[in-house]
Amino acid sequence: MALSARLLALRRSPVLLKLPPYLSALCILVGLGWLLILPLNEYSRQTYISENAILPGQVHTYFGGSEHNVFRAYRQEVYGLSERSDHERIAGLGNVMREQGLKVANQSYSWNVAGEEISGTNVYGLLKGPRADATEAMVLIAAWRNFEGDINYSGVALALTMARYFKRWSIWSKDILILISEDSTYGPEAWVSAYHTTSITPTANRNISSLPIKAGALQGAVALDYPAGPWGQRFDKLDIAYDGINGALPNLDLFNTAVQVASSQMGIGCSLHNLKDHSDSYKDRLKTISKGLITQSVGHATGPHSAFMPYHVDAITLKTIGDGWHDEMTLGRTTESLFRSINNLLEHLHQSFFFYVLMNTNRFVSIGNYLPAAMIIAGSFSISALALWVQSGKPTPSEGAKPMSPGEKRKQPEMAVVKDGKNVALVPKEELEVIERKMFIPAAVVLGVHLAGFIPLYALNHATRSNIPYTFITLTAATLILPQYLARHILSNLPPQHIFIIQSLSLLLLGATLSTLSTLNFSLAFLLGLLCSPLSFVRPLPSLRFSLEQTTRYVSTDDAAGIAANLAVVAPVSALFVAVSPPVVLWVVKGMFFGSGGVEGMLVEMARGWVAQGVWTGAVVWGVWWPAWVVAASVLWSGCWRRPADEV
Amino acid sequence: MRLSTLLTLPAALLPLIYAKEQHSYTEHLHLKPLPDNSLYAGFTFTSTTPYTAYASNHFRYFPRSLAQILQYTHTAELHLRFALGRWDEESWGSRPRRGSREGGNGVELWAWMDADAEEGWSDLVNSLSGLFCASLNFVDSGKTTRPVLSFEPEGTLEELQETRNGTGELRLLHGMLPHEVVCTENLTPFLKLLPCKGKAGISSLLDGHKLFDANWQTMAVDVRPICSTGGDCILEIQQTVDMVLDIERSMRPRESPIPRPLPIKDITCDETKGYNGHDTCYPEGPGGEMGWSLSSVFGRPIRGSCALGGGEEEEGFDITLKVPSERTVEVISETAIPQSTSSGSRAYRLPKDANFDLDLPHQALESSSSGAFALEQPPLYASRQLTGHGAERGGMHTLLRNPHPYAQRIVYLESLPWFLRPYMHTLELSGAGGKMEKMFYTPLLDRQRGTHLELLIEIQPRSTVEITYDFEKAILRYTEYPPDANRGFDIPAAVIRVLPNNATQDQGQGRDYYLRTTSLLLPLPTPDFSMPYNVIILTSTVIALGFGSIFNLLVRSFVLVEEVPVGALAGVVWRLKDGVARVRGMLKGGGVGKEDDGGGVVKKGEVVVGGEVRKVNGGGGGGGKKDT
């Protein structure tokens, strides 16, 4: 009783009521700071192999000798095929595998995105594990064109050589599928989706043929990316790509096995995100983390392996980088050892982490340590939302807040007597009043804006390539005008309470969505949280309008000066706010990463991701971020349109 | 009375003597090279016993251990299969023995039993489990089905029932264990059932290392009664081992079984390629038929025949080798071997006490002759896959392809474990030429009975039929998960029986053809077992520490030693001890210390030691043994 009474009294504490904005700011700083301390030794861990069955690097590898001659021949063969037509190439690759005694099949696919067709044909072979019972399988992928679009000569040749070499071993407990996909993104996507479906019904924008040959449940996939030409090129390091669609990650054990096999057994250095020189310093670790954050938050494919992740198949891509002294045989032995390790698995990879942030090939942070960063940032919105909710329940400050004119008599606030047991207190009546919150209009506004978010999502994913830039420019303009419109015609006419509730609801939704999202795609939630952080502090700006009576007669210099002063506040705030709007941020991202391709290239990529691969980053941008921004911007500018007479 | 007993013994033996010729044993090995350097080897061991001898526990070649199980469990006909690997129909053609001696991956068992089948079945699986060192005892009610259409008895069960004056109908029970890994420990008891126990005859080739290195292998035990019209029944046991060996792999020496890359000089390069050079070699497939011999493929030659009395005069041949007539075959044996050669196959009889080996050197055959030696096309191709991903739902997808120009009727049997819950309304037969004629369906009961689904389907000529249905994955109780829960759960193979029809009967293939799909791996929603474990351990420790100490503090009252009241029992014990001490003191004759502080309860040791010390000090004249 005493405790609850004290807590109730706390509700009215002026300190507490002023606290939330500071608390929100603190949350954002702590969230950011949290990420910055992760690279420290005290907060990260050395990677380790968790699944005992894997035994990485424990087997002797025999790939070598005459296999090198065969490899060179296959590489010449692949080079020869690259100069033929697509049809001949697919037949040729199939023939090589057929000669080795594999079961070979083709799969054609096509998608229709942005008025363009993405199509191709995958060719793949099944190596039946001699003593396997067809219940499990592993995949060796060599995309014909790698992620950069270069022909993967040596990668394909190596996969073919490995297939021939693997065929002679009787130790395989799982079947091995050799997949030579047309490209690195959509080919594997078409293949893996058909693998898990009976038959994909063709639609207007998708036509994937089913797979004639299948094996059992996929246990792991390794992609080779080695685009060295017919005369070979030695490489320096192996870059391991691990990001999946929508930020899903493969089991850390698979990644660790690859690193362990490559670095400990074969002596090949490994790298992440193309960072060749990693000195394991704080700076390099942070750099790796940030690169990882960006690729994960985008959620798009980063290699042939990415498509496998949504199907709970762990996969990685081994990509050769740099100029060094390792040759294809070393990569072959690495692959052999890696497949032997996957072959050892008795259970599906489950033992190690699925949620991690890597800062070096042998250092990571697990979910328990990094998740609070995004959660705290998401929490800052919830705190603001609660504060606004509380504020909306309080009566509008009466004229007492205004500066008093000299002759005015100070009005005594009405007092009321409050009794609690034997205690009696005299409290201003204002404090005890409970204002009824009118929810309908605010809820309708917030809901309407959120529903409107589907319009850009639909427009951008259904426009043709030539129309996309115009669509986006229109969208940018609309995004900047819509809040003005809302502010002018709806929000500026609403009582302040409604504005508080609108903002509270919008922030509440944002906080809840971001904290949920952070468990699915940490990076996206974290970066979006940072980009949204100004939304917590939005309050209606000072008015830029003349008061009603004055405009009819003349403009007083006082007013003009006041407006000028207000403008000095409004302009920079508005500029800052426009800078963090979704379209503007996308323009900036385009400038940073898609320099040459233009905005069109980026948006087509996004549309492809949405249509072909089921990447939902776009949905988060237009369905979560955009409405939150629009609501906040409307609130921000609603003050400008308010007449000074009814200014708060 | 005694006399009659004496007379009945010869009387009982009399039919045995008459039935002597019905005790027989034959064995046969069928060898056939297949494409892709594979070799099919089919071993058949058949022994028979008259039913009367069986009933009176008299056995010659029939294995006693198995017969006793059959008697005890009232099993009329038994089929047991151990299988591993896949038969590759596209490369190897039609299945050997029309699939009748094959099982699904793992272990499969079906039997016709007397009316009281449930109990007998449980006894049967448990006994066979012991006999064959297999986990057959896991075939419980949840894994047992009663197929209606899929199996027909091979023996003459009705006549047998009449002979035995048996009452009631015989019942068929069927169980599968797809997860069972067949290995050497199953082969050894299998060979023990043979009269020569793998020491002589063709069974001497059966070596665990080679058998289980095969690309496909299946072991079968089939017991069936054969009754003639006169009412004489014999019981036949047929044990078969079928396998497909990879010749190249089997011929690797055992001391270096690692398939290291061959030296470059041993690889035939395709020299027509423009880039062919000293360091670039496009490998060419080996031309012609690969050379092999029995001893190199199986690791040893056949050690003489398993000729058991009376087998001498039989004109049967032990080994049939099916190769084109141009193929050179050398027989390596110390004695002359009776053999017969016909087009496309050669037969040999094993020598009695000498080793026997066949050697087929590497030979390039005319393509025309190998064309004549074409593979027989199987009646049906089938494949079955799981579709979907995620932990909640999935789908089953079966493809059946009839490659022949005539329609075929098939029986499709699925026995699914209870944790796979099919949605029967989604069961669909799609594809141009499929028609479902009948369906037998027994719904599942959680933890008691699996689904039994049997479909009679007609497949039109040269058409493909798809059978699809969706299912839901059940969530198991945590104790129901096996230790390797994340591996997934094995779903037994579907059994497909192709019924004979007019078209096939014309071709002299009157019998049924069986094929089985591969077994499947079903991932079920699996909890993270280590996490609750960690949480339980941690919370238990915290609770134990916290609760223990707090509870201790709460229920205990703290008092000074002096304040502790003397309990009734403690008082009595103390007084007794005091008395004893007094008496002992009196007996020793010394003065007993009078200053014993009887009131305070202190620890026993202190009292006694204190007393004695005081006694010693006070008494003076007492024995000084404790005086130190």
Side-chain angles (χ1 to χ4, degrees), chain B residues 87-119:
Chain B
W87 177 266
D88 183 355
E89 272 152 334
E90 276 158 30
S91 313
W92 302 336
S94 185
R95 286 166 187 261
R97 309 171 205 269
R98 299 190 61 76
S100 63
R101 290 289 178 264
E102 266 176 46
N105 235 309
V107 181
E108 188 176 341
L109 170 74
W110 68 101
W112 276 266
M113 313 188 75
D114 266 353
D116 190 17
E118 289 297 335
E119 206 174 312

Coordinates of all heavy atoms in Angstrom, one line a residue, chain B residues 87-119:
Chain B
W87 N 19.3 -49.4 -55.6 CA 19.4 -50.0 -56.9 C 19.2 -48.9 -57.9 O 18.2 -48.2 -57.9 CB 18.4 -51.1 -57.1 CG 18.4 -51.7 -58.4 CD1 17.6 -51.4 -59.5 CD2 19.2 -52.8 -58.9 NE1 18.0 -52.2 -60.6 CE2 18.9 -53.1 -60.2 CE3 20.2 -53.6 -58.2 CZ2 19.5 -54.1 -60.9 CZ3 20.8 -54.6 -59.0 CH2 20.5 -54.8 -60.3
D88 N 20.2 -48.8 -58.8 CA 20.1 -47.7 -59.8 C 19.5 -48.2 -61.1 O 20.1 -48.8 -61.9 CB 21.6 -47.3 -60.1 CG 21.6 -46.1 -61.0 OD1 20.6 -45.7 -61.5 OD2 22.8 -45.6 -61.3
E89 N 18.2 -48.0 -61.2 CA 17.4 -48.6 -62.3 C 17.8 -48.0 -63.6 O 17.8 -48.7 -64.6 CB 15.9 -48.4 -62.1 CG 15.3 -49.5 -61.3 CD 14.1 -49.1 -60.5 OE1 14.0 -47.9 -60.2 OE2 13.3 -49.9 -60.2
E90 N 18.3 -46.8 -63.7 CA 18.6 -46.2 -64.9 C 19.9 -46.8 -65.5 O 20.0 -46.9 -66.7 CB 18.8 -44.7 -64.8 CG 17.4 -44.0 -64.9 CD 17.5 -42.6 -64.3 OE1 18.5 -42.0 -64.3 OE2 16.4 -42.2 -63.7
S91 N 20.8 -47.2 -64.6 CA 22.0 -47.8 -65.1 C 22.0 -49.3 -65.2 O 22.6 -49.9 -66.0 CB 23.2 -47.4 -64.3 OG 23.2 -46.0 -64.0
W92 N 21.3 -49.9 -64.2 CA 21.4 -51.3 -64.0 C 20.1 -52.1 -64.5 O 20.1 -53.3 -64.5 CB 21.6 -51.7 -62.6 CG 22.9 -51.0 -62.0 CD1 24.0 -50.6 -62.7 CD2 23.1 -50.7 -60.7 NE1 24.9 -50.1 -61.9 CE2 24.4 -50.1 -60.6 CE3 22.4 -50.9 -59.5 CZ2 25.0 -49.7 -59.4 CZ3 23.0 -50.5 -58.3 CH2 24.3 -49.9 -58.2
G93 N 19.1 -51.3 -64.9 CA 17.9 -52.0 -65.4 C 17.0 -52.5 -64.4 O 16.9 -52.0 -63.2
S94 N 16.3 -53.6 -64.8 CA 15.3 -54.2 -63.9 C 16.0 -54.8 -62.7 O 17.1 -55.2 -62.7 CB 14.6 -55.3 -64.7 OG 13.6 -55.8 -64.0
R95 N 15.2 -54.9 -61.6 CA 15.7 -55.4 -60.4 C 15.9 -56.9 -60.4 O 15.1 -57.6 -61.1 CB 14.8 -55.0 -59.2 CG 14.9 -53.6 -58.8 CD 13.8 -53.1 -58.0 NE 13.9 -51.7 -57.8 CZ 14.4 -51.1 -56.7 NH1 14.8 -51.8 -55.7 NH2 14.5 -49.8 -56.7
P96 N 16.9 -57.4 -59.7 CA 17.1 -58.9 -59.7 C 15.9 -59.5 -59.0 O 15.3 -59.0 -58.1 CB 18.4 -59.1 -58.9 CG 18.5 -57.8 -58.1 CD 17.9 -56.7 -58.9
R97 N 15.5 -60.7 -59.4 CA 14.4 -61.5 -58.9 C 13.1 -60.7 -58.8 O 12.3 -60.9 -57.9 CB 14.8 -62.0 -57.4 CG 16.1 -62.7 -57.3 CD 16.4 -62.9 -55.8 NE 17.8 -63.0 -55.5 CZ 18.5 -64.1 -55.5 NH1 17.9 -65.2 -55.7 NH2 19.7 -64.1 -55.2
R98 N 13.0 -59.8 -59.8 CA 11.8 -59.0 -59.9 C 11.5 -58.3 -58.5 O 10.3 -58.1 -58.2 CB 10.6 -59.8 -60.3 CG 10.8 -60.4 -61.7 CD 9.6 -61.0 -62.3 NE 8.5 -60.1 -62.4 CZ 8.4 -59.2 -63.4 NH1 9.3 -59.1 -64.3 NH2 7.3 -58.4 -63.5
G99 N 12.5 -58.0 -57.8 CA 12.4 -57.2 -56.6 C 11.8 -58.0 -55.4 O 11.5 -57.4 -54.4
S100 N 11.6 -59.3 -55.6 CA 10.8 -60.1 -54.6 C 11.7 -60.4 -53.4 O 11.2 -60.8 -52.4 CB 10.3 -61.4 -55.2 OG 11.4 -62.2 -55.6
R101 N 13.0 -60.2 -53.5 CA 13.9 -60.5 -52.3 C 14.6 -59.3 -51.8 O 15.7 -59.3 -51.5 CB 14.9 -61.6 -52.7 CG 14.4 -63.0 -53.0 CD 13.9 -63.6 -51.7 NE 13.3 -64.9 -51.9 CZ 12.0 -65.1 -52.0 NH1 11.2 -64.1 -51.9 NH2 11.6 -66.3 -52.2
E102 N 13.8 -58.2 -51.9 CA 14.4 -56.9 -51.5 C 13.6 -56.3 -50.4 O 12.4 -56.6 -50.2 CB 14.3 -55.9 -52.7 CG 15.5 -55.9 -53.5 CD 15.3 -54.9 -54.7 OE1 14.8 -53.8 -54.5 OE2 15.6 -55.4 -55.8
G103 N 14.3 -55.4 -49.6 CA 13.6 -54.7 -48.6 C 13.9 -53.2 -48.7 O 14.7 -52.8 -49.5
G104 N 13.1 -52.5 -47.9 CA 13.4 -51.1 -47.9 C 14.7 -50.9 -47.1 O 15.2 -51.8 -46.4
N105 N 15.3 -49.7 -47.2 CA 16.5 -49.5 -46.5 C 16.4 -49.8 -45.0 O 15.4 -49.4 -44.4 CB 16.8 -48.0 -46.6 CG 18.2 -47.8 -47.2 OD1 19.1 -48.4 -46.7 ND2 18.3 -47.0 -48.3
G106 N 17.4 -50.4 -44.5 CA 17.3 -50.8 -43.1 C 16.7 -52.3 -43.0 O 17.1 -53.1 -43.8
V107 N 15.8 -52.5 -42.1 CA 15.3 -53.8 -41.9 C 13.8 -53.8 -42.2 O 13.1 -52.8 -41.8 CB 15.5 -54.3 -40.4 CG1 15.0 -55.7 -40.2 CG2 17.0 -54.2 -40.1
E108 N 13.3 -54.8 -42.8 CA 11.9 -55.0 -43.1 C 11.5 -56.4 -42.7 O 12.3 -57.3 -43.0 CB 11.6 -54.6 -44.5 CG 10.2 -54.5 -44.9 CD 9.9 -54.1 -46.3 OE1 10.8 -53.6 -46.9 OE2 8.8 -54.4 -46.8
L109 N 10.3 -56.5 -42.2 CA 9.9 -57.9 -41.7 C 8.4 -58.0 -42.0 O 7.6 -57.1 -41.7 CB 10.2 -58.0 -40.2 CG 9.6 -59.2 -39.5 CD1 10.4 -60.5 -39.9 CD2 9.7 -59.0 -38.0
W110 N 8.0 -59.1 -42.6 CA 6.5 -59.3 -42.6 C 6.3 -60.8 -42.5 O 7.1 -61.6 -42.9 CB 5.8 -58.7 -43.8 CG 6.1 -59.2 -45.2 CD1 5.4 -60.1 -45.9 CD2 7.3 -58.9 -46.0 NE1 5.9 -60.3 -47.1 CE2 7.1 -59.6 -47.2 CE3 8.4 -58.1 -45.9 CZ2 8.0 -59.5 -48.3 CZ3 9.3 -58.0 -46.9 CH2 9.1 -58.7 -48.1
A111 N 5.2 -61.2 -41.9 CA 5.0 -62.6 -41.6 C 3.5 -62.8 -41.5 O 2.7 -62.0 -41.2 CB 5.6 -62.9 -40.2
W112 N 3.1 -64.1 -41.8 CA 1.8 -64.5 -41.6 C 1.7 -65.3 -40.3 O 2.5 -66.3 -40.2 CB 1.3 -65.4 -42.8 CG 0.8 -64.5 -43.9 CD1 -0.5 -64.2 -44.2 CD2 1.5 -63.9 -45.0 NE1 -0.6 -63.4 -45.3 CE2 0.6 -63.2 -45.8 CE3 2.9 -63.9 -45.3 CZ2 1.0 -62.5 -46.9 CZ3 3.3 -63.2 -46.4 CH2 2.4 -62.5 -47.2
M113 N 0.9 -64.9 -39.4 CA 0.9 -65.6 -38.1 C -0.5 -66.0 -37.7 O -1.5 -65.6 -38.3 CB 1.4 -64.6 -37.1 CG 2.6 -63.8 -37.5 SD 3.3 -62.9 -36.2 CE 4.1 -64.1 -35.2
D114 N -0.5 -66.9 -36.7 CA -1.8 -67.4 -36.2 C -2.6 -66.3 -35.6 O -2.2 -65.2 -35.4 CB -1.5 -68.5 -35.2 CG -1.5 -69.9 -35.9 OD1 -1.9 -69.9 -37.1 OD2 -1.2 -70.9 -35.2
A115 N -3.9 -66.7 -35.3 CA -4.9 -65.7 -34.9 C -4.4 -64.8 -33.8 O -4.6 -63.6 -33.9 CB -6.1 -66.4 -34.4
D116 N -3.7 -65.3 -32.8 CA -3.3 -64.5 -31.7 C -2.0 -63.7 -32.1 O -1.0 -63.9 -31.5 CB -3.0 -65.4 -30.5 CG -2.8 -64.5 -29.2 OD1 -3.2 -63.4 -29.3 OD2 -2.3 -65.1 -28.3
A117 N -2.2 -62.9 -33.1 CA -1.0 -62.4 -33.8 C -0.2 -61.3 -33.0 O 1.0 -61.3 -33.0 CB -1.4 -61.8 -35.1
E118 N -0.9 -60.5 -32.2 CA -0.3 -59.4 -31.5 C 0.9 -59.9 -30.6 O 2.0 -59.4 -30.7 CB -1.3 -58.6 -30.7 CG -2.3 -57.8 -31.5 CD -1.6 -56.7 -32.3 OE1 -0.5 -56.3 -31.9 OE2 -2.2 -56.3 -33.4
E119 N 0.5 -60.9 -29.8 CA 1.5 -61.3 -28.9 C 2.6 -62.1 -29.6 O 3.8 -61.9 -29.3 CB 0.8 -62.3 -27.9 CG 1.6 -62.3 -26.6 CD 0.7 -63.1 -25.6 OE1 -0.5 -62.8 -25.5 OE2 1.3 -64.0 -24.9

